[in-house]
Amino acid sequence: MSKIGIIVAREFNERVRKKSFIITTILMPVLMLGMMAAPTLMMLFAKGEQKQLVVLDESGVIAPQLTGDEEILFTPMDCALESARADESIFGVLWIGADIVENPNNVKLYTNSSSSMSLESNISSQMERVIEQERLKRYEIENLEQIIKDVEANVTLTTYRNDMQSEGEDEEATSSSVAYLLGLVLGMMLYMFLLIYGSMVMTSVIEEKGSRVLDVLVSSVKPFDLMMGKILGVASVAVTQIAIWAVLVCGLSAAVLPSLMPEDVMQTIEAVEAGTMTSAEAGIDADMLSAVSLATDPMRLVMMFVWLLLFLVGGFLFYSAMFAAVGSAVDSVQDANQLQTPITVPIILALILAMSVFNDPSSPLAFWGSVIPFTSPVVMMARIPFGIPTWEIILSLVLLYISVAAMAWVAGKIYRVGVFMHGKKPSFKELMSWIRQ
């Protein structure tokens, strides 16, 4: 064990001391926060100058009811189309036919520069509203607009989990949208970690084998111990990175987020969480309530990161053993491409299954995908935010770590033969023979 500890320490220190690791570890939470804030910032800073649009309305119905905003200024005029198009000082000309109410397609937009989807959507939506109103007037129903407003209804659906209450947990509103986004982030994180850090193990073995360093190392340590030392060393790097992110995210969410939210909003959310007020009475959207509740609850975030670490370690040990076996069997990264295909395909399949989880987290496909060790790390992390039973998570972890022991034994068989093989890329048949030796 002391020899394995030396190898683990060497692999860990070699990677943690790199500037790339430090920069990635610090910048990743910042990038995640930036990605969440990017849409708002883009909307704030991407606004251009107000565009003047001359409106030539032959019907006389649409132009008086068009309203401008920060993006566009409508200017109704009565002139020839050609003379209006010749004016380069304006953004463009909107020509509306006389039969626009009967024929909504009889409209043309002439611009002196490139247009945008938002501008065209703005014009279309306003024209559709006016045309619908004009068509409704033909029915000659008194106070028709008021009647339509009175019958409009916006349903706010608040979902409560009966099965969570039966397990002793407090009743609280849930949000499928928040669970979807969180599951997507966690599933993608597992997917990237398995591929990136697994490939890192394989590349490290190939480089040391090519430089004949392994030929010297195996004179002092068993090949299996060497393989496990490298795997555990890289795994400790991944765990360290996740742990740092967990501390940063939990600390920021508990200390910074409440101060950024308006005081009255936080008081209302706390009242809803305490059960003294329902989300409908508070007038708070269920998605926002669920998101803020999760972000300001350090215990739930910590538990989420605990599951993430357990499945990350199990999934990494499971796949990195195979990556290490492939690295020991070849002499170059190019030769490893063919052999690593059976390893990468299940990881990609796991991501595809994770996408199907969002449609029905309790479906048989989602359940078996989260139990089978080849796909369980990614699929289960995509299911956990939806509040699945704890016994399913424990079952998945037990099967995963049993498979880790079996895969380590199989990979060790290949590794102890492969490190001494040079100059030839083995076939799958030869790999099977190495396992049987």
Side-chain angles (χ1 to χ4, degrees), residues 347-395:
I347 302 178
I348 297 173
L349 178 61
L351 184 62
I352 296 173
L353 288 175
M355 297 297 109
S356 67
V357 164
F358 305 134
N359 295 326
D360 187 0
S362 300
S363 66
L365 180 62
F367 172 78
W368 289 110
S370 61
V371 170
I372 299 174
F374 285 94
T375 58
S376 62
V378 177
V379 179
M380 182 56 80
M381 287 310 305
R383 291 185 66 203
I384 286 177
F386 288 91
I388 63 172
T390 306
W391 70 266
E392 293 187 14
I393 304 177
I394 296 175
L395 174 63

Side-chain angles (χ1 to χ4, degrees), residues 109-155:
L109 177 64
Y110 302 93
T111 62
N112 292 322
S113 62
S114 58
S115 182
S116 65
M117 292 179 61
S118 61
L119 183 141
E120 294 175 7
S121 176
N122 186 352
I123 298 172
S124 300
S125 60
Q126 290 199 50
M127 291 188 62
E128 289 171 358
R129 176 179 53 81
V130 175
I131 293 172
E132 290 172 358
Q133 291 177 352
E134 292 299 320
R135 289 181 175 181
L136 287 172
K137 289 179 182 179
R138 297 176 180 177
Y139 290 92
E140 298 181 355
I141 300 175
E142 189 177 355
N143 296 327
L144 182 58
E145 292 186 14
Q146 186 61 40
I147 294 173
I148 294 175
K149 290 181 180 179
D150 292 340
V151 299
E152 286 181 353
N154 294 321
V155 178

Side-chain angles (χ1 to χ4, degrees), residues 93-215:
V93 179
L94 178 65
W95 178 85
I96 302 172
D99 60 341
I100 187 65
V101 178
E102 290 77 17
N103 182 16
N105 296 322
N106 194 15
V107 58
K108 297 178 182 179
L109 177 64
Y110 302 93
T111 62
N112 292 322
S113 62
S114 58
S115 182
S116 65
M117 292 179 61
S118 61
L119 183 141
E120 294 175 7
S121 176
N122 186 352
I123 298 172
S124 300
S125 60
Q126 290 199 50
M127 291 188 62
E128 289 171 358
R129 176 179 53 81
V130 175
I131 293 172
E132 290 172 358
Q133 291 177 352
E134 292 299 320
R135 289 181 175 181
L136 287 172
K137 289 179 182 179
R138 297 176 180 177
Y139 290 92
E140 298 181 355
I141 300 175
E142 189 177 355
N143 296 327
L144 182 58
E145 292 186 14
Q146 186 61 40
I147 294 173
I148 294 175
K149 290 181 180 179
D150 292 340
V151 299
E152 286 181 353
N154 294 321
V155 178
T156 302
L157 184 64
T158 304
T159 306
Y160 296 90
R161 291 284 297 272
N162 291 326
D163 53 345
M164 292 290 104
Q165 193 174 11
S166 63
E167 292 185 5
E169 297 186 15
D170 296 333
E171 182 182 47
E172 64 177 26
T174 60
S175 171
S176 298
S177 301
V178 174
Y180 166 80
L181 291 175
L182 187 58
L184 181 63
V185 171
L186 293 176
M188 288 295 297
M189 188 178 296
L190 260 294
Y191 170 78
M192 290 188 295
F193 265 84
L194 293 180
L195 279 180
I196 294 174
Y197 281 95
S199 300
M200 191 181 296
V201 172
M202 182 186 70
T203 304
S204 175
V205 174
I206 292 175
E207 290 176 352
E208 292 183 357
K209 181 182 176 181
S211 61
R212 301 302 174 95
V213 173
L214 291 180
D215 293 353

